[in-house]
Amino acid sequence: MAFFLFLFLLSSNLHVAFSAHCTTTTATKTFQKCTTLPTQQASIAWTFHPHNATLDLVFFGTFISPSGWVGWGINPSSPEMTGTRALIAFPDPNSGQIVLLPYILDPTVKLQKNPLLSRPLDIHLLSSSATLYGGKMATVHNGATIQIYATFKLVPNKTKINHVWNRGLYVQGYSPTIHPTTSNDLSSIATIDVLSGSATAQHDNIKTLKTVHGIINAISWGLILPIGAVTARYLRHIQALGPAWFYAHAGMQLFAFFLGTVGFAIGIRLGELSPGVEYGLHRKLGFAAFCLGALQTLALLFRPKTTNKFRKYWKSYHHFVGYSCVVLGVVNVFQGFEVMGAGRSYAKLGYCLGLSTLLGVCIALEVNSWVIFCRKSKEEKLRREGLIGGSDKGSGIHS
């Protein structure tokens, strides 16, 4: 089951990675090079003229709302949103025609202290325009493709350009509102050498770590840990197994915790590599599940013997903390799918199928346990009333 989950996660990530493509040809221009950008199915094409350090390019993006916006820009100093000189396209509030306006994303924009207002760029922008795919008769809708053309005069001998792009849902007047804050939207940055064509996505390592983090935690906290709990609940009553159920339970839970610790550590590292990116609920649930898992592991060191009077208190604590850890782990796996933007992915479908199978097995075993319990209770009642002999164990009835 864990293996199939891994395949679902891997295939979904490969699908995202290869779903977009780039082209060097538009209806009005042909460019020399192109590259696919790592997020939002965006791409760019360009022609660089070394003799005068002029960059001619087009950005391909898509709208996510009929009243939304699509923006692209360059950051002259660093690969981040703050400081970007952007060109943002959106439908004119009055005419409905596409307009393209320049904006400078200073720190106040990130803090949302003031609305984003258009102002001239302080870089050598020679020309710019925007066109909807489909020509003048095209209209803005969810998924509509926009082409943003720009010609820049670059600094001599500086061919590595920090590209920043994004898209949002609404425009208030002529002020684009904040874009969504999913991991993909916050990772829309890439550095491209326009001379050689080599691209360096600033968050390639982060995306790989996110994938590994998701796979490890879905398998450990989301599958192995619940299976270990099911093992203890339903197999310990089978006398033929002897203590084997305990070793299976302890082994699976320890393996799940140590594997989950690796995933937890990767999550901490992801937080360090993503300043300004916060997933409050996912983070809190992760810390809570890890702390409960650590308490459960430490509880093994203080496990009283069966004859100890504190054994019943330890069992109550063990059950409460254990089931709480399982519930938090499963809930946080679903929260993780939302954080990764995989809320409707095949990966989530695969996990749901695995979890549903486990839940179905639990229901069947629970029903079976209650049937056995009720049968034994009835036999015990008959035995107390003298209707069944103690040595017959329910196999015969006295006359």
Side-chain angles (χ1 to χ4, degrees):
M1 189 158 51
F3 175 74
F4 287 115
L5 172 66
F6 175 82
L7 289 181
F8 270 113
L9 284 165
L10 184 60
S11 63
S12 64
N13 279 279
L14 288 175
H15 172 75
V16 171
F18 293 104
S19 59
H21 63 279
C22 71
T23 179
T24 57
T25 304
T26 66
T28 57
K29 286 186 178 181
T30 299
F31 300 87
Q32 291 180 349
K33 298 177 181 178
C34 73
T35 186
T36 299
L37 298 174
T39 63
Q40 300 180 353
Q41 292 80 48
S43 63
I44 62 169
W46 73 93
T47 299
F48 178 60
H49 307 280
H51 63 280
N52 59 3
T54 301
L55 178 64
D56 206 12
L57 64 81
V58 59
F59 167 81
F60 300 89
T62 55
F63 283 93
I64 56 174
S65 168
S67 57
W69 57 266
V70 176
W72 165 89
I74 63 174
N75 191 321
S77 56
S78 59
E80 60 178 337
M81 184 192 77
T82 304
T84 295
R85 276 62 175 167
L87 297 172
I88 300 179
F90 53 86
D92 188 289
N94 299 317
S95 66
Q97 298 297 315
I98 288 293
V99 295
L100 182 69
L101 297 178
Y103 296 85
I104 298 178
L105 308 184
D106 55 34
T108 60
V109 175
K110 189 173 184 178
L111 297 175
Q112 303 180 51
K113 291 184 177 180
N114 300 309
L116 181 60
L117 301 177
S118 176
R119 52 176 164 163
L121 303 182
D122 53 0
I123 56 177
H124 298 289
L125 176 63
L126 304 179
S127 65
S128 63
S129 63
T131 304
L132 273 178
Y133 181 77
K136 294 182 179 180
M137 300 301 294
T139 58
V140 176
H141 59 273
N142 185 9
T145 300
I146 184 86
Q147 300 169 357
I148 299 177
Y149 295 86
T151 302
F152 288 92
K153 180 81 171 180
L154 301 182
V155 177
N157 301 321
K158 185 179 180 181
T159 59
K160 288 187 176 182
I161 307 299
N162 300 314
H163 296 261
V164 181
W165 64 98
N166 226 306
R167 55 194 181 180
L169 293 168
Y170 304 104
V171 177
Q172 294 180 346
Y174 291 90
S175 298
T177 58
I178 187 171
H179 58 75
T181 54
T182 66
S183 58
N184 280 338
D185 296 301
L186 296 173
S187 303
S188 300
I189 302 170
T191 300
I192 300 175
D193 190 327
V194 295
L195 183 60
S196 65
S198 62
T200 304
Q202 297 298 316
H203 295 269
D204 274 354
N205 291 335
I206 293 180
K207 289 180 68 176
T208 302
L209 284 177
K210 282 182 178 178
T211 302
V212 175
H213 171 75
I215 292 173
I216 289 178
N217 285 338
I219 292 174
S220 57
W221 300 103
L223 285 177
I224 301 179
L225 206 68
I227 291 174
V230 170
T231 301
R233 178 168 178 80
Y234 298 111
L235 298 188
R236 63 180 176 179
H237 301 294
I238 302 177
Q239 296 181 354
L241 293 177
W245 71 266
F246 172 77
Y247 297 119
H249 166 69
M252 278 190 286
Q253 301 304 74
L254 286 174
F255 176 69
F257 176 71
F258 288 125
L259 191 62
T261 300
V262 175
F264 178 78
I266 294 175
I268 297 296
R269 180 58 179 163
L270 281 170
E272 295 174 352
L273 293 174
S274 309
V277 181
E278 294 184 4
Y279 302 109
L281 180 59
H282 184 61
R283 184 182 179 89
K284 291 173 183 176
L285 289 174
F287 270 100
F290 177 77
C291 291
L292 291 177
L295 286 174
Q296 279 292 77
T297 305
L298 291 175
L300 286 175
L301 303 176
F302 305 100
R303 180 169 175 258
K305 295 182 178 180
T306 54
T307 56
N308 193 297
K309 64 179 181 179
F310 294 107
R311 174 75 175 199
K312 60 180 180 179
Y313 301 111
W314 182 90
K315 286 181 65 177
S316 299
Y317 155 84
H318 185 67
H319 289 165
F320 175 76
V321 174
Y323 287 123
S324 299
C325 185
V326 169
V327 171
L328 286 178
V330 171
V331 170
N332 208 27
V333 168
F334 283 103
Q335 182 66 22
F337 280 119
E338 299 302 320
V339 166
M340 294 183 69
R344 296 184 177 182
S345 65
Y346 287 112
K348 185 177 180 180
L349 176 61
Y351 177 73
C352 290
L353 289 175
L355 197 63
S356 300
T357 302
L358 180 61
L359 184 61
V361 171
C362 289
I363 293 175
L365 291 174
E366 188 70 25
V367 171
N368 182 67
S369 297
W370 277 102
V371 169
I372 294 176
F373 173 77
C374 292
R375 183 188 302 163
K376 287 185 175 180
S377 298
K378 185 177 181 180
E379 291 178 353
E380 183 64 27
K381 181 180 178 181
L382 293 175
R383 188 177 293 111
R384 286 198 304 266
E385 293 175 355
L387 298 177
I388 299 178
S391 60
D392 293 328
K393 296 183 178 179
S395 60
I397 300 178
H398 293 281
S399 58

